Amino acid sequence: MEDANTGHFLAPLAERDPLVAGALRSEAARQERQIELIASENTVSRACLEAIGSAITNKTVEGYPGRRFHGGAEFADVVEQAAIDRACRLFGCAYANVQPHSGTQANQAVFFSLLKPGARVLSMSLAAGGHLSHGAAPNQSGRFFDVTHYGVDPETERIDYDAVAALAAEVRPELVISGGSSYPRAIDFARMRAIADSVGARYLVDMAHFAGLVAGGAHPSPIAHADIVTCTTTKTLRGARGGLILAADPAFGPGLQSAVFPGVQGSIHLQTIAGKAVTLGEALEPSFRDYAHAVVANARALAAMLEGRGVRVVTGGSDTHLVLVDTASVGLSGQEAQDRIEAVGITSNKNPAPSDPPAPSQWTGLRLGTASGTTRGFGTAEFERIGALIADVLAGRDADAPRLVAELCSVFPLYAR
Ligand code: DSN
C-alpha cells in the first residue's frame, strides 16, 4: 500500500539521493580498477558488507549483553556475544571488548582504565612507526599524559631493546606501549614485557596492523606477554571498521568494561559489531591461516623486488604485511612517490621514515601493504610484478604502467565477478 512513508521504506538510494549513490558507485569502481597498497586497508567479504548495511543500525543500546539500559536488545545481545566469544577463541584470551569505535578509542579506554591524567607513558615515536593515539603531541593522549618516545637504532632501523630499557629506567613509566602504524618488523614482546616489569609498568600492545597475521598464525602473538592488547578489525583482520580490546587475564575486564562504557563511549554501533562478528567468524576459518601467511610472503616478495631494483626498503625487508620504502633512495619525497604511483593506479600513503622530521612535506617514506592485494588474489608473482612496476614508475619509466595495473585488476576482480 502506498502512503507517505512508502518512499522512506522502499525507495532505493539511487532514486532518493543520486549524489551520494553516484559517489558510492564511483568509489566501488575506483577500488576495482586501482591496486590498493595502503597498509591500513583491506576488502571485506560480501557477508561483512551485508551485516554493516543491515537494519540493526536502527537499534540503540548501551551497556553489555544481558545488562542493557534499553529494551529490545535480544538480538543485539546475540550479535555482540558472538563477536566477544569469537574474539576470545580467535586470539586465545579470556577477555574481549568489541565495542570500541576505532583503534584509537580502544587505546583511549585502556589509558582511562589504567592511568590517571599526567601519568608517564613510554611509547614508540611516530617517525619510528608508532601511532598518534600512543601519546603524540597533537592527540588527546599527548595532552593528558606525560609521554616519552623511543625510536629505532639509526643503523638497523629496528628497535634497540637495550636503549628502550635504559629509557624506561630513566623515565619510570606506568605504561609501556608496543606497536603502531609503520614498523615493518616483528616486535620481541617477551623482551618488552621484561622492560615493563623492570620498572613496574603495565604493558600494552597495539596490534592494529598485524592482528590478522596473529589470528592466522603468521606472526607471534602478544597475548601471553601483554597485560592488554588492542587492535582494529580492519587492516590485516580484513573486516568491519572498528576496534577491539583483549586481555589474557580476566582481572582487567571490569576496569576495561567501564572504561569503554561509560568511560569514553556511549551507545554502540551495532551494525559495525555485527560486521565484527562476521569478520571474527571468517578469521576462525582454516582458510584465513593461508591468507595470513600469503600476506607476509607477498610483503617479502614485494620488498625483495624493490630492493633488487635499487629502491631501498627500511630495515631491508618485512616480517608483516608492511613495506616501508625509503623514497630518498630514489631522490623523491614521500609525497612525490605517492603521487607518481597513484597516477598509474596504485594507491599508497606517504609516511615518515625513521629519521624524518615531523613535517609531512619533509617525509621520505612511502608505506605499502599487501593485505588488500592478497585478498584480491595476488600471490608472490603478482607482487613481484607490482614491485618492478613501482621501481620503474619511481624512476620515471611509466609508459606501460597503467596498462599493467588495468590488466592485474581485471584478472583479479573484487565484487565485480
Ligand atoms: N592508523 C592509520 C593507518 O595506519 O593508516 C589508520 O588506521
Side-chain angles (χ1 to χ4, degrees), residues 40 131 181 209 235 367:
S40 48
H131 191 254
S181 274
H209 270 266
K235 308 184 177 83
R367 191 183 65 162

Side-chain angles (χ1 to χ4, degrees), residues 38-41 103-104 130-133 180-182 206 208-209 232 234-235 241 321-322 349 351 367:
I38 292 179
S40 48
E41 290 192 29
T104 291
H131 191 254
L132 280 167
S133 64
S181 274
S182 59
D206 179 344
H209 270 266
T232 55
T234 359
K235 308 184 177 83
R241 192 163 288 280
H321 63 306
L322 209 149
N349 65 278
N351 202 87
R367 191 183 65 162

Side-chain angles (χ1 to χ4, degrees), residues 2-377:
E2 287 271 334
D3 64 23
N5 283 332
T6 300
H8 179 82
F9 288 110
L10 297 184
L13 183 63
E15 192 180 295
R16 200 69 191 262
D17 194 331
L19 186 146
V20 171
L24 297 183
R25 238 186 350 263
S26 300
E27 170 59 15
R30 185 195 67 77
Q31 292 179 17
E32 292 285 348
R33 70 168 184 268
Q34 293 193 339
I35 294 179
E36 184 55 71
L37 294 186
I38 292 179
S40 48
E41 290 192 29
N42 210 328
T43 311
V44 304
S45 67
R46 171 69 61 186
C48 186
L49 275 185
E50 205 176 305
I52 298 166
S54 68
I56 206 166
T57 193
N58 298 329
K59 183 77 196 98
T60 297
V61 290
E62 289 173 345
Y64 291 96
R67 290 174 293 118
R68 303 293 193 186
F69 288 80
H70 304 78
E74 181 186 353
F75 303 111
D77 284 5
V78 170
V79 164
E80 186 172 353
Q81 195 57 52
I84 294 167
D85 294 344
R86 291 172 187 181
C88 287
R89 199 148 40 125
L90 183 64
F91 292 107
C93 54
Y95 171 80
N97 191 309
V98 301
Q99 294 194 0
H101 299 321
S102 67
T104 291
Q105 288 213 268
N107 289 334
Q108 262 174 15
V110 174
F111 279 49
F112 196 82
S113 161
L114 296 181
L115 306 174
K116 297 266 183 290
R120 290 184 302 279
V121 174
L122 181 61
S123 65
M124 189 182 243
S125 68
L126 277 182
H131 191 254
L132 280 167
S133 64
H134 299 177
N139 186 263
Q140 194 186 43
S141 56
R143 293 177 67 173
F144 291 177
F145 300 96
D146 179 3
V147 182
T148 303
H149 291 307
Y150 56 88
V152 290
D153 179 273
E155 290 300 315
T156 64
E157 299 172 312
R158 297 183 188 224
I159 297 170
D160 175 345
Y161 294 95
D162 291 337
V164 178
L167 201 53
E170 186 189 321
V171 170
R172 313 285 310 171
E174 289 174 51
L175 180 68
V176 172
I177 307 179
S178 288
S181 274
S182 59
Y183 186 68
R185 293 296 184 172
I187 296 163
D188 185 342
F189 302 123
R191 183 76 205 278
M192 289 297 291
R193 174 68 201 224
I195 292 170
D197 284 346
S198 72
V199 294
R202 292 291 185 199
Y203 181 36
L204 165 66
V205 174
D206 179 344
M207 61 171 184
H209 270 266
F210 53 88
L213 308 181
V214 171
H219 190 284
S221 171
I223 296 288
H225 303 287
D227 291 304
I228 300 173
V229 174
T230 55
C231 69
T232 55
T233 38
T234 359
K235 308 184 177 83
T236 53
L237 204 44
R238 198 165 62 177
R241 192 163 288 280
L244 299 178
I245 306 177
L246 311 165
D249 182 351
F252 287 104
L256 289 168
Q257 293 288 90
S258 58
V260 174
F261 174 81
V264 302
Q265 289 190 177
S267 60
I268 65 182
H269 294 180
L270 271 168
Q271 75 288 1
T272 306
I273 291 185
K276 287 178 184 174
V278 172
T279 299
L280 293 161
E282 289 172 348
L284 280 162
E285 289 168 7
S287 60
F288 194 81
R289 296 184 76 80
D290 300 335
Y291 167 72
H293 283 89
V295 167
V296 178
N298 287 342
R300 289 182 167 150
L302 175 64
M305 178 56 79
L306 287 164
E307 289 252 288
R309 299 288 293 264
V311 181
R312 197 183 81 83
V313 164
V314 171
T315 77
S318 176
D319 299 325
T320 62
H321 63 306
L322 209 149
V323 174
L324 187 60
V325 171
D326 170 9
T327 59
S329 71
V330 288
L332 298 172
S333 69
Q335 182 69 59
E336 287 166 336
Q338 177 186 322
D339 292 346
R340 277 201 193 185
I341 68 170
E342 185 159 4
V344 301
I346 302 176
T347 326
S348 68
N349 65 278
K350 65 179 171 295
N351 202 87
S355 53
D356 278 344
S361 60
Q362 294 175 288
W363 289 353
T364 59
L366 184 72
R367 191 183 65 162
L368 309 175
T370 55
S372 189
T374 306
T375 296
R376 189 165 201 149

Side-chain angles (χ1 to χ4, degrees), residues 380-400:
T380 52
E382 285 74 30
F383 272 103
E384 282 168 1
R385 279 183 79 185
I386 293 168
L389 197 76
I390 291 174
D392 282 347
V393 172
L394 295 183
R397 294 187 299 270
D398 52 7
D400 207 27

